[in-house]
Amino acid sequence: MDGKDKILIVDDEPANIFLLELILEDKYELIKADNGKDAVKLALKELPDLILLDIMMPEMDGLEVCKILSDNNKTRDIPIILVSARIQDEDVEKGLDLGAVDYIKKPVSETELKARVRTSLRIKHREDELKRLNKLKNDFLHIVSHDLLSPFTSILNSSGLLLNRDFSNPMNDIQKELIDIINKAAQKQLQYVKDILTLALQESDTFALNIDECRLKELTDEIIKLHKFTADGKNISLINNVPENFILSFDVNKISQVITNLISNSIKFTPRGGNIEVSAKEEESNFILYIKDSGVGMSEAKIKELLGEGKVYSTSGTEEEMGTGLGIRICRKILDAHKATFQIKSEENQGSTFTIVFKKSES
């Protein structure tokens, strides 16, 4: 074909199809179906740019066709214009709720039909272009992420060796201080780049969830073990009171990232000798996970900042531990994708409690 937009016309009356063909055949590639079942098959096979769909058809009416196509990932973004003599308010509302973008009443006006077709196709082309650009952005992020992170590995390894290994010509105090500055700056920038990349990928169309069953106690045990060395360094007790029998369905890697971030934050903002408790309970249709610390706490303004959409400012920990300020935002994105809720309860000098509410899987 010559690059024309493809329109699927669906109507059980041959005269109506003929009229629509007569109006549109000069500018568009047309395919036709005279019943709902064939319309669904053709839409899935041909993936038209637009569908003109009659409501009143035997066996499978236009509203049912609309629902089937809207529920299918392959066809859900194809614009559908309802074309029918029976355009009542309830039909229009139901059709638009089911995924149609517009409607035209029979008998069809040639001028109106052409205008509405042009408008729907123009919107679709813009959406297609946005998807294409978004895919390019996502592909770019995947490609450059390795190149962005690799230099930091070299900087951190080299500066770490200089700081922690004895050489034949030992450095003076000023040299050690400068290398320590380089090492800490590289650590902070590396974490910042990682968080930016994670956030960007999670906001993209590539942010897919791999749902699997997981014993929450086992997962939290593993995460606590990973943090034990850091916690011991500040003489902080890590306590896991999650019940053994809690089995949840979620993306294990991503929820692990959330819990890791929250425990890491609690260690960061808990003074020496404090404690952090991870617990959970079952409540009606929910599993609720708590991470509670005896740290420095937060003001109401800081909580609003973390839970808002504006800029998040990094805060140093009790022993000047570094962060980027993006961790909580990343956690929220992951939990939103799981349809889980996230709450923070805290007061200054009274510690903080982070609460995650997971909906139970429907059996």
Side-chain angles (χ1 to χ4, degrees):
M1 296 302 296
D2 55 2
K4 291 180 178 179
D5 288 311
K6 186 187 296 183
I7 298 177
L8 170 59
I9 300 173
V10 187
D11 201 304
D12 63 330
E13 292 291 340
N16 292 332
I17 292 180
F18 177 76
L19 177 61
L20 295 177
E21 280 187 290
L22 200 63
I23 295 172
L24 299 171
E25 62 184 356
D26 288 344
K27 292 193 66 175
Y28 306 102
E29 177 189 351
L30 304 177
I31 52 177
K32 298 158 285 183
D34 60 9
N35 62 79
K37 289 183 179 178
D38 286 348
V40 171
K41 290 177 183 176
L42 266 176
L44 288 166
K45 179 183 176 183
E46 299 288 341
L47 298 178
D49 299 291
L50 176 69
I51 299 173
L52 297 173
L53 180 61
D54 184 29
I55 293 180
M56 296 291 290
M57 291 186 294
E59 295 186 36
M60 183 185 291
D61 67 15
L63 296 178
E64 190 174 350
V65 172
C66 214
K67 183 179 188 312
I68 292 171
L69 296 181
S70 296
D71 288 343
N72 192 301
N73 288 333
K74 289 181 65 177
T75 54
R76 68 191 312 165
D77 293 328
I78 299 173
I80 298 173
I81 299 178
L82 301 174
V83 185
S84 181
R86 194 188 80 172
I87 296 291
Q88 299 176 13
D89 288 345
E90 58 268 25
D91 295 322
V92 172
E93 182 179 10
K94 188 172 182 182
L96 295 175
D97 286 344
L98 291 172
V101 299
D102 205 347
Y103 65 92
I104 302 174
K105 188 173 182 177
K106 294 177 182 176
V108 172
S109 158
E110 178 177 349
T111 302
E112 181 184 13
L113 175 66
K114 287 181 176 179
R116 291 181 186 263
V117 165
R118 282 197 306 270
T119 299
S120 294
L121 287 171
R122 183 165 62 246
I123 292 170
K124 182 181 186 297
H125 294 327
R126 288 176 179 173
E127 290 177 347
D128 288 345
E129 178 63 9
L130 286 173
K131 289 176 187 174
R132 187 187 70 82
L133 293 173
N134 198 41
K135 184 178 184 305
L136 285 175
K137 179 202 74 175
N138 296 337
D139 291 344
F140 173 76
L141 284 172
H142 283 293
I143 291 168
V144 303
S145 59
H146 178 267
D147 294 333
L148 284 172
L149 298 175
S150 291
F152 290 106
T153 304
S154 299
I155 295 170
L156 288 169
N157 287 342
S158 300
S159 57
L161 281 172
L162 289 171
L163 285 171
N164 300 307
R165 186 170 168 183
D166 291 330
F167 291 92
S168 55
N169 296 315
M171 294 181 291
N172 60 42
D173 290 342
I174 294 177
Q175 290 171 323
K176 287 182 179 179
E177 184 178 351
L178 291 173
I179 292 172
D180 185 55
I181 291 170
I182 292 170
N183 185 271
K184 287 180 178 177
Q187 287 182 44
K188 183 173 182 179
Q189 196 65 19
L190 173 62
Q191 189 60 52
Y192 186 75
V193 171
K194 282 182 176 179
D195 286 350
I196 287 288
L197 287 171
T198 301
L199 197 60
L201 289 171
Q202 287 172 358
E203 290 177 337
S204 73
D205 291 336
T206 62
F207 185 33
L209 298 177
N210 298 311
I211 304 297
D212 203 356
E213 284 192 345
C214 174
R215 288 190 177 275
L216 189 58
K217 173 74 169 177
E218 292 179 6
L219 179 64
T220 48
D221 274 342
E222 289 176 10
I223 295 169
I224 284 173
K225 283 180 184 177
L226 292 174
H227 287 84
K228 191 176 185 310
F229 179 80
T230 306
D232 286 348
K234 295 179 72 173
N235 195 27
I236 292 172
S237 299
L238 291 176
I239 306 159
N240 191 358
N241 285 327
V242 173
E244 294 279 356
N245 61 333
F246 278 17
I247 299 176
L248 281 67
S249 294
F250 47 57
D251 186 312
V252 178
N253 288 332
K254 289 186 171 64
I255 294 300
S256 176
Q257 184 179 353
V258 171
I259 299 171
T260 294
N261 188 288
L262 295 177
I263 290 178
S264 178
N265 267 358
S266 289
I267 294 172
K268 176 180 172 182
F269 293 107
T270 297
R272 288 178 172 273
N275 60 77
I276 298 165
E277 179 187 3
V278 183
S279 61
K281 71 177 182 179
E282 189 175 357
E283 189 177 88
E284 297 180 353
S285 59
N286 299 323
F287 284 113
I288 308 175
L289 176 68
Y290 302 96
I291 297 172
K292 182 178 181 180
D293 65 53
S294 60
V296 297
M298 287 178 275
S299 66
E300 188 175 340
K302 183 63 179 179
I303 294 173
K304 287 181 179 179
E305 176 190 309
L306 290 172
L307 297 179
E309 296 301 327
K311 181 175 175 57
V312 178
Y313 295 90
S314 175
T315 307
S316 297
T318 58
E319 299 189 3
E320 300 304 313
E321 299 99 324
M322 296 175 293
T324 66
L326 293 173
I328 294 294
R329 182 155 296 174
I330 290 170
C331 291
R332 288 172 50 214
K333 292 290 181 184
I334 293 173
L335 295 173
D336 285 347
H338 283 80
K339 295 181 171 54
T341 58
F342 178 64
Q343 300 167 1
I344 302 173
K345 183 178 179 181
S346 183
E347 293 182 30
E348 290 184 289
N349 302 314
Q350 297 296 318
S352 302
T353 301
F354 303 93
T355 304
I356 302 170
V357 181
F358 295 99
K359 294 285 184 186
K360 288 184 183 176
S361 301
E362 295 181 2
S363 53

